[in-house]
Amino acid sequence: MTRPALPILRRSQGQIVALSSVSGEIGLGMRSMYCAAKAAVNNFYRTLRVEEPNIRISLMIIDTFSGSNFRKNSLVKADELENRKTVSVETVCEAVLEAADRSAKVTFIP
């Protein structure tokens, strides 16, 4: 998906906003494949930023929020995770838009 967009982004000086998970930054038990996949996403966009310095690339790393099925689909029982904090989808969207507006390179959204 990124490759076909690169010529347009180069010409327009556009911006890529990539959403990822804190699981790509730290390992979590019983989630090795998920953590590995998110680490790959995070490093792909960090590397692309180096390769394409004229394209603004913002990586938003989200800790947790209530708008996903991650807990329900987890190998660990969901009730064991319910004490973790959640953030509303609206709060995450506001943080993402604010960080994108200021062209933040990496933003951790708690």
Side-chain angles (χ1 to χ4, degrees), residues 51-109:
E51 294 174 350
E52 297 287 343
N54 295 325
I55 297 174
R56 294 178 300 150
I57 299 174
S58 299
L59 178 60
M60 311 295 166
I61 299 174
I62 302 170
D63 183 4
T64 186
F65 70 103
S66 61
S68 77
N69 289 324
F70 181 76
R71 292 178 184 171
K72 185 172 74 174
N73 297 330
S74 174
L75 292 174
V76 176
K77 292 181 182 170
D79 57 339
E80 294 175 21
L81 299 171
E82 287 311 309
N83 292 332
R84 291 218 40 215
K85 63 183 172 117
T86 60
V87 178
S88 71
V89 174
E90 292 78 13
T91 299
V92 171
C93 290
E94 289 173 13
V96 167
L97 291 173
E98 189 276 329
D101 282 346
R102 61 182 169 81
S103 297
K105 289 185 177 182
V106 177
T107 301
F108 286 86
I109 301 171

Side-chain angles (χ1 to χ4, degrees), residues 23-61:
S23 298
E25 302 294 314
I26 58 170
L28 299 173
M30 304 298 291
R31 295 179 182 85
S32 57
M33 295 304 290
Y34 180 80
C35 292
K38 290 302 178 177
V41 168
N42 295 357
N43 285 315
F44 172 79
Y45 285 106
R46 285 183 171 120
T47 302
L48 187 62
R49 186 184 310 121
V50 172
E51 294 174 350
E52 297 287 343
N54 295 325
I55 297 174
R56 294 178 300 150
I57 299 174
S58 299
L59 178 60
M60 311 295 166
I61 299 174

